[in-house]
Amino acid sequence: MTIDRAKPLLLPLTVLAAFEAWARAAHLQSDSLAPPSAIMAALIGALADYSIPIATRDTLFSAFAGLAVGSLIGLALGIAFGISDVLNRLMEVTVEAIRPIPSIALLPIALIALGFGYRMEIVIVAFACIWPMLILSGAAVRGIEPRLMEVSRALRLPPAQRVLKIIIPAALPRIFVAFRLSAGIALIVAVTVEIAINPIGLGAGIMLAQQALRPDLMLAYLVWIGLIGYGLNVLLILAQRRLFGRAALG
Amino acid sequence: MNRTIILWRLASFAVAAGFIALWQLIANLKLVSPVFLPGPDRAWAALVHGFSSGDLCSKLIGTLEHMAYGWLAASIAGVAIGAMIGSSRLMRTYVAPSLEFLRPLPVSAIIPVAIAMLGLTQGMALFVIAFGAIWPIMLATIHGFAAVEPRLYEITRSLQMSRLAVIFKIALPSASPDIIAGMRLSLTVALILSVVCEILAGLDGLGHWVLLSARSFRSADLFAGVILLGVMGYATSLAMAVAENRLLKWQRVGH
């Protein structure tokens, strides 16, 4: 059992060890590569002098704020479109016209309208998060057991009560799946905006390390960004299992 | 039945036209400064002007080229590597978990590393786009190979087919819906990364065009570029849907 668990680790550990050995044997001098031990040292150094923690805070703040705004808008529209077939059909062309715009293409617009900083990043992240939320929560609402809707009609619940007491609880497992997807997208878009143009956060940190010809620090940032992405993913999957169990699979 | 669908479509187009009229109204009344928000008339004029002078056309082709080359390279490499990993139990135990670990990595984080290695060149853009677009395709291929009906594999064993024959005759056809879904996903990734690379490296393309327009506050040109990028995203995903329909027709016929 323990051997089976160790098997997946074998490849990355071998690669790292081989790379370390090669880098030492060849006395590696490079602007783009650094031995794993140097990357580790740079990572610990950057964690200790608070440059990575501050950058992480900036990135996660923008990503989560954008995620919150975008998923709330997407959820509201998705529920509205899911309830009302008329609205859904009327808005189809508009949604299909705006949705394919790559989120990053809005970057120059956000740049001249809002300038550098948190706000433009949040707007772009929010735009990217609206669509998966809108489409998937609309589908989730349409997939609700019709008898539940009949019950709400029989009880003569007012629309607000119907949404809060019947629709959202019934569709929640699938809405959470959409939220998990959007959270991944939010982090990706936030880092991309920072790398492309915005001078805050982890993306800006990794660009700066590259321009300063510090491959060890650059790769340390890369490892850290990978860990954040992996951690966020694991956390959300655990939350989904804990909260909804098998219900979220449907 | 068909007529109602067409009527709904028309109504939906009318609503979209209403939004554009609203946009025009906001621009005309200058509720938002025209520096940031040109009216649809100005954006359209910029689009027409850009195409008639040939400027926008070459940018469009530039972006399309970056996207297409990167995506094609990723498709070929992704299916090949995915088939190699997916068809071997050994590789599935040892290699696949590492790939799963790398999957949530925001792929744009690889851009600085690529710049350090390859400089601000076309090669860098190609590498980044291919690297980003390969994941959905490769993982979908591995998944598709793992999900092949086990009895089909038993048949190949009793027929004593070679590994290559198994891959080409059994596994690839049966995994093709997964693979095509992966290719469709990575099309979006390829477009986004093309734009980012053009912005960063100043390569000829729409990404560079929108950034330059923003820097010089030519908002009409900027909106023309963004609209064109949206059209590109729509057209490529539409083309992919048509191709998917064609390629997977045989699957639905059997059932």
Side-chain angles (χ1 to χ4, degrees):
Chain A
M1 195 60 213
T2 43
I3 294 177
D4 273 352
R5 288 208 147 183
K7 272 180 184 170
L9 290 176
L10 198 64
L11 176 78
L13 289 180
T14 325
V15 169
L16 284 181
F19 188 52
E20 177 80 46
W22 174 75
R24 283 183 183 224
H27 296 287
L28 178 71
Q29 287 287 334
S30 162
D31 292 341
S32 55
L33 291 174
S37 54
I39 298 172
M40 211 50 219
L43 182 59
I44 290 168
L47 279 171
D49 72 7
Y50 297 114
S51 58
I52 282 191
I54 289 173
T56 310
R57 183 201 65 195
D58 286 345
T59 299
L60 288 183
F61 172 74
S62 316
F64 287 147
L67 175 66
V69 174
S71 46
L72 275 181
I73 296 174
L75 185 64
L77 290 175
I79 290 177
F81 290 3
I83 295 173
S84 157
D85 195 39
V86 174
L87 196 62
N88 186 34
R89 288 186 175 201
L90 285 180
M91 291 298 291
E92 198 182 344
V93 170
T94 311
V95 169
E96 288 305 311
I98 303 176
R99 191 167 69 105
I101 297 175
S103 49
I104 223 68
L106 295 184
L107 200 146
I109 299 180
L111 181 65
I112 57 171
L114 302 170
F116 293 113
Y118 293 114
R119 279 193 306 166
M120 63 100 95
E121 196 169 328
I122 290 171
V123 166
I124 296 171
V125 171
F127 177 84
C129 290
I130 287 176
W131 310 108
M133 213 58 191
L134 187 159
I135 307 263
L136 291 174
S137 60
V141 170
R142 273 188 288 274
I144 292 176
E145 167 75 43
R147 285 200 200 143
L148 279 176
M149 302 303 280
E150 280 171 27
V151 168
S152 76
R153 240 168 277 142
L155 290 172
R156 304 229 171 114
L157 289 176
Q161 296 264 316
R162 201 192 301 172
V163 169
L164 283 179
K165 294 205 166 142
I166 307 274
I167 291 173
I168 289 187
L172 201 57
R174 290 178 70 186
I175 290 175
F176 191 83
V177 174
F179 178 77
R180 185 161 68 83
L181 261 177
S182 304
I185 293 173
L187 184 66
I188 292 175
V189 172
V191 171
T192 308
V193 170
E194 286 161 6
I195 283 181
I197 215 150
N198 206 11
I200 54 168
L202 290 170
I206 192 172
M207 279 313 270
L208 209 63
Q210 185 261 318
Q211 280 154 10
L213 301 181
R214 287 274 315 271
D216 51 341
L217 186 60
M218 172 180 80
L219 293 170
Y221 266 105
L222 183 67
V223 169
W224 182 252
I225 292 172
L227 285 176
I228 299 261
Y230 183 76
L232 185 68
N233 193 29
V234 166
L235 216 65
L236 285 165
I237 289 182
L238 277 182
Q240 181 181 327
R241 285 215 191 115
R242 194 30 91 78
L243 291 172
F244 304 111
R246 298 183 64 83
L249 294 174
Chain B
M1 189 60 212
N2 229 338
R3 183 170 290 174
T4 44
I5 290 177
I6 291 171
L7 277 179
W8 274 116
R9 272 265 137 181
L10 282 179
S12 187
F13 270 107
V15 170
F19 276 110
I20 292 177
L22 186 71
W23 170 17
Q24 181 76 63
L25 194 69
I26 290 174
N28 284 351
L29 294 177
K30 300 210 162 86
L31 293 178
V32 182
S33 161
V35 178
F36 308 136
L37 188 82
D41 52 344
R42 277 176 59 209
W44 178 253
L47 206 58
V48 171
H49 176 76
F51 268 108
S52 59
S53 68
D55 240 12
L56 213 47
C57 209
S58 69
K59 306 283 179 198
L60 178 68
I61 291 171
T63 303
L64 262 179
E65 262 177 11
H66 294 147
M67 186 181 163
Y69 289 149
W71 181 73
L72 278 178
S75 300
I76 295 168
V79 171
I81 299 174
M84 216 163 68
I85 296 170
S87 65
S88 136
R89 183 179 300 257
L90 206 67
M91 298 273 267
R92 273 219 296 267
T93 353
Y94 286 98
V95 183
S98 304
L99 298 180
E100 285 294 333
F101 176 78
L102 284 175
R103 188 175 53 147
L105 174 80
V107 281
S108 46
I110 203 75
I111 293 177
V113 183
I115 292 177
M117 283 182 184
L118 303 166
L120 295 169
T121 57
Q122 297 275 3
M124 183 278 291
L126 201 64
F127 172 78
V128 168
I129 297 163
F131 180 87
I134 203 173
W135 294 102
I137 302 173
M138 187 166 66
L139 292 170
T141 310
I142 296 174
H143 174 81
F145 270 55
V148 172
E149 166 74 43
R151 276 189 213 153
L152 288 177
Y153 279 141
E154 282 168 23
I155 291 173
T156 63
R157 236 170 286 141
S158 58
L159 288 176
Q160 296 188 322
M161 288 164 83
S162 70
R163 188 166 157 199
L164 267 182
V166 174
I167 290 176
F168 279 104
K169 292 190 173 147
I170 308 285
L172 269 184
S174 117
S176 54
D178 287 298
I179 295 174
I180 289 175
M183 285 167 79
R184 185 205 275 246
L185 252 181
S186 57
L187 208 55
T188 324
V189 179
L191 178 57
I192 290 177
L193 287 176
S194 309
V195 174
V196 175
C197 285
E198 284 160 12
I199 286 179
L200 274 175
L203 300 172
D204 215 21
L206 286 174
H208 190 49
W209 165 275
V210 288
L211 187 71
L212 279 187
S213 310
R215 287 249 164 95
S216 48
F217 289 94
R218 283 182 284 129
S219 61
D221 283 346
L222 168 57
F223 270 68
V226 172
I227 290 170
L228 216 49
L229 279 169
V231 171
M232 232 174 102
Y234 186 70
T236 46
S237 80
L238 195 70
M240 194 68 210
V242 171
E244 185 172 359
N245 237 329
R246 278 276 168 86
L247 288 172
L248 297 181
K249 211 175 225 166
W250 58 275
Q251 274 215 323
R252 283 191 302 277
V253 174
H255 295 291

